[in-house]
């Protein structure tokens, strides 16, 4: 329990921010209830209840927060967005931190009174990952991904939901290949971290500066490598693919559930499948899982249920490296400390290229199962069996369907034989 000061509301907000930074929180939720203002921190993707502030200061604190963000304090019926100004927090707290605030009208209390909930996003302006090895790739997936970074041209797509670490992976990848000999330009919405030696531009929809228009503009800036924050429409994907086919290495993101799902998504947006198959180097899908706390984790003997949840048979497997955190002061009793990615990588080889052009999604799935591609299931099993995380964490993050054992393929469902070349 943390006793925040109730005398000075600005001081209370500062105390909340300091405590959130100590706990490595990414978001602060201030939610009005009938008992007071509930304070929750999101750390490593999980929301924790920290404190409930007294009812008599709840509204005062939200008003003080809106003043710090230059919001309209007389308007509580519509959502508002803002940023906490440096003049309120001082240089030491705000240095290297972007504090974005969103308010939302909501109903609270037994009488159905209209209040406002506030969420503060703490964006650190420095990437927490230093090298590609820190990201969480399996050795095979890392080797394939590093190969993409060495290509002179082509398209690399990262997929995953919001908060799955796509931006961190992209930034870390770009910094690994940023030299004086290459011109790297990004188009983002918004720019999250400042990258030295890289030109970054931000989308401005209100001014008509969309992803598509920004991409066309930077193609006139003589780029070698392009990072496009997100593909949202047919015009953007068409321009990105043509850029990848005309001598540029292009990185971008899509919102799909897995790596395979990027293929029909691209086709739905309209480009010629032949262009997609020619341009695409690979698709990386990822999720973030919490790592076992290195201070309190200890050897763990898996149960029969654990094996079943991973779709594994016990025979012939040694659980000697399985671990689980018991909770300590360092991890605030959670048993986990920090996160890393579980990565699925669809490498576009000649057969995959042919299937994208003239085959079906069933053929693609069957072929990928045959070659035992770097799937979410394989990556998840590796992380559990090497003591990096737990079965519970894997099942919390990944759909249960991806952990099921692949079914046996029938010959009539097999992928076509690769085209013969002269």
């Amino acid at each position: 329990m943390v006793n925040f000061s109730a005398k000075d509301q600005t001081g209370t907000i500062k105390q909340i921010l300091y405590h959130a930074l100590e706990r490595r929180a990414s978001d602060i939720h201030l939610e009005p209830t009938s008992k007071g203002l509930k304070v929750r921190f999101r750390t490593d993707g999980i929301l924790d209840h920290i404190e409930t502030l007294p009812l008599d200061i709840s509204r005062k604190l939200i008003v003080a927060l809106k003043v710090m963000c230059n919001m309209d304090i007389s308007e509580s019926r519509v959502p508002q967005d803002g940023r906490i100004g440096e003049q309120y927090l001082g240089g030491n707290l705000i240095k290297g931190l972007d504090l974005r605030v969103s308010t939302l009208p909501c109903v609270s209390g037994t009488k159905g009174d209209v209040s406002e909930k506030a969420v503060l996003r703490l964006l650190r302006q420095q990437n927490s990952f230093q090298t590609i090895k820190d990201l969480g790739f399996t050795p095979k997936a890392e080797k394939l991904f590093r190969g993409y970074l060495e290509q002179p041209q082509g398209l690399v797509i990262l997929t995953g939901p919001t908060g799955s670490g796509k931006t961190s992976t992209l930034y870390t990848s770009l910094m690994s290949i940023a030299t004086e000999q290459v011109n790297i330009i990004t188009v983002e919405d918004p720019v999250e971290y400042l990258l030295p030696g890289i030109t970054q531009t931000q989308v401005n929809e209100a001014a008509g500066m969309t992803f598509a228009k920004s991409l066309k503009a930077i193609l006139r800036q003589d780029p070698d490598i392009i990072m496009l924050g997100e593909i949202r429409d047919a015009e953007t994907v068409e321009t990105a693919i043509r850029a990848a086919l005309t001598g540029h290495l292009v990185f971008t993101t899509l919102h799909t559930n897995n790596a395979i799902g990027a293929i029909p998504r691209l086709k739905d947006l309209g480009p010629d499948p032949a262009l997609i198959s020619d341009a695409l180097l690979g698709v990386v899908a990822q999720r973030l899982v919490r790592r076992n706390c290195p201070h309190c984790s200890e050897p763990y003997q898996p149960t029969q249920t654990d094996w079943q949840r991973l779709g594994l048979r016990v025979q012939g497997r040694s659980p000697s490296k399985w671990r689980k955190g018991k909770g300590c002061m360092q991890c605030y009793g959670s048993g986990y400390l920090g996160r890393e990615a579980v990565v699925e990588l669809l490498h576009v080889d000649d057969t995959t290229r042919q299937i994208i052009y003239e085959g079906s999604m069933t053929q693609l799935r069957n072929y990928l199962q045959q070659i035992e591609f770097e799937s979410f299931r394989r990556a998840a099993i590796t992380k559990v069996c090497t003591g990096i995380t737990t079965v519970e964490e894997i099942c919390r993050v990944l759909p249960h369907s991806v952990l099921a054992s692949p079914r046996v393929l029938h010959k009539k469902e097999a992928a076509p034989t690769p085209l013969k070349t002269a």
Side-chain angles (χ1 to χ4, degrees):
M1 189 70 73
V2 180
N3 293 316
F4 296 116
S5 168
K7 296 180 180 179
D8 172 28
Q9 306 314 323
T10 302
T12 303
I13 294 170
K14 288 182 179 180
Q15 289 183 58
I16 293 173
L17 285 169
Y18 275 116
H19 189 54
L21 290 172
E22 285 179 354
R23 293 190 63 144
R24 302 178 297 104
S26 61
D27 300 87
I28 301 171
H29 289 237
L30 304 175
E31 184 176 354
T33 69
S34 59
K35 296 181 180 180
L37 191 68
K38 184 191 294 185
V39 180
R40 293 191 291 173
F41 295 165
R42 186 180 295 279
T43 304
D44 292 337
I46 301 295
L47 272 174
D48 289 321
H49 181 207
I50 304 301
E51 177 69 283
T52 299
L53 300 179
L55 191 62
D56 60 336
I57 72 165
S58 296
R59 178 59 188 164
K60 296 177 183 178
L61 189 139
I62 295 295
V63 170
L65 180 64
K66 293 174 73 173
V67 169
M68 296 168 72
C69 300
N70 293 319
M71 293 181 182
D72 184 356
I73 61 172
S74 66
E75 182 58 81
S76 59
R77 298 166 299 176
V78 297
Q80 296 188 59
D81 295 307
R83 298 185 179 188
I84 296 183
E86 185 174 356
Q87 67 271 25
Y88 293 104
L89 300 177
N92 290 334
L93 179 60
I94 203 169
K95 185 177 181 181
L97 189 68
D98 187 7
L99 293 164
R100 301 178 190 176
V101 181
S102 171
T103 64
L104 181 72
C106 62
V107 177
S108 65
T110 56
K111 298 180 180 180
D113 299 327
V114 177
S115 305
E116 288 180 284
K117 177 181 178 179
V119 174
L120 291 75
R121 170 63 59 89
L122 283 63
L123 291 171
R124 291 156 180 81
Q125 296 176 355
Q126 183 176 2
N127 194 356
S128 57
F129 298 107
Q130 300 301 315
T131 67
I132 293 174
K133 191 171 288 293
D134 300 330
L135 295 173
F137 285 84
T138 62
K140 181 181 176 181
E142 181 183 334
K143 183 178 179 180
L144 289 170
F145 187 72
R146 287 184 182 275
Y148 302 155
L149 302 180
E150 297 172 357
Q151 292 283 352
Q153 66 181 59
L155 177 65
V156 180
I157 297 176
L158 274 75
T159 78
T162 301
S164 60
K166 299 187 300 294
T167 300
S168 294
T169 298
L170 284 171
Y171 281 2
T172 304
S173 303
L174 292 179
M175 288 307 300
S176 72
I177 54 178
T179 66
E180 292 291 336
Q181 288 72 43
V182 294
N183 180 23
I184 303 178
I185 306 180
T186 73
V187 181
E188 305 172 58
D189 184 22
V191 173
E192 294 190 17
Y193 309 129
L194 297 179
L195 306 176
I198 293 176
T199 303
Q200 296 171 269
T201 184
Q202 188 160 301
V203 168
N204 188 337
E205 298 279 356
M209 192 66 168
T210 62
F211 272 114
K213 288 185 178 179
S214 300
L215 180 55
K216 289 179 180 178
I218 67 174
L219 285 172
R220 296 190 288 269
Q221 291 284 314
D222 186 31
D224 298 295
I225 300 167
I226 298 168
M227 193 273 271
L228 183 63
E230 185 181 346
I231 287 179
R232 295 180 178 175
D233 51 45
E235 184 182 8
T236 308
V237 69
E238 185 83 27
T239 307
I241 287 176
R242 294 198 178 276
L245 291 172
T246 55
H248 305 89
L249 183 59
V250 180
F251 295 88
T252 190
T253 71
L254 272 175
H255 288 292
T256 61
N257 291 329
N258 51 36
I260 300 173
I263 306 302
R265 175 68 176 138
L266 286 175
K267 290 183 176 181
D268 287 343
L269 289 171
D272 185 338
L275 297 179
I276 297 174
S277 64
D278 286 345
L280 194 59
L281 297 175
V283 183
V284 176
Q286 64 180 68
R287 300 288 191 279
L288 291 177
V289 294
R290 293 180 293 172
R291 293 195 299 259
N292 281 322
C293 176
H295 305 284
C296 67
S297 65
E298 53 190 17
Y300 170 73
Q301 187 66 30
T303 64
Q304 183 66 33
T305 302
D306 291 330
W307 293 111
Q308 291 174 352
R309 293 172 82 180
L310 291 179
L312 295 175
R313 295 179 179 177
V314 182
Q315 291 83 357
R317 293 186 178 273
S318 172
S320 60
K321 294 184 179 180
W322 287 49
R323 301 185 70 83
K324 181 178 286 190
K326 61 181 180 180
C328 65
M329 293 292 291
Q330 298 291 330
C331 63
Y332 294 95
S334 69
Y336 301 96
L337 188 63
R339 291 189 292 176
E340 69 174 52
V342 177
V343 175
E344 179 173 82
L345 190 146
L346 190 166
H347 175 63
V348 182
D349 58 18
D350 289 340
T351 303
T352 304
R353 210 175 299 281
Q354 180 188 349
I355 296 172
I356 293 173
Y357 177 53
E358 61 181 8
S360 66
M361 289 304 299
T362 300
Q363 288 177 319
L364 179 58
R365 290 190 180 93
N366 288 346
Y367 172 66
L368 293 176
Q369 288 179 19
Q370 286 176 356
I371 64 171
E372 297 184 341
F373 87 114
E374 291 297 296
S375 65
F376 272 138
R377 180 174 183 270
R378 291 172 63 86
I381 290 171
T382 298
K383 290 191 184 298
V384 171
C385 293
T386 55
I388 293 173
T389 191
T390 63
V391 174
E392 290 80 7
E393 182 65 6
I394 289 295
C395 292
R396 181 185 71 85
V397 172
L398 293 177
H400 294 180
S401 58
V402 307
L403 297 176
S405 300
R407 63 184 179 84
V408 178
L409 301 172
H410 300 290
K411 289 184 179 180
K412 64 179 180 180
E413 296 174 327
T417 304
L419 292 173
K420 294 182 179 180
T421 56

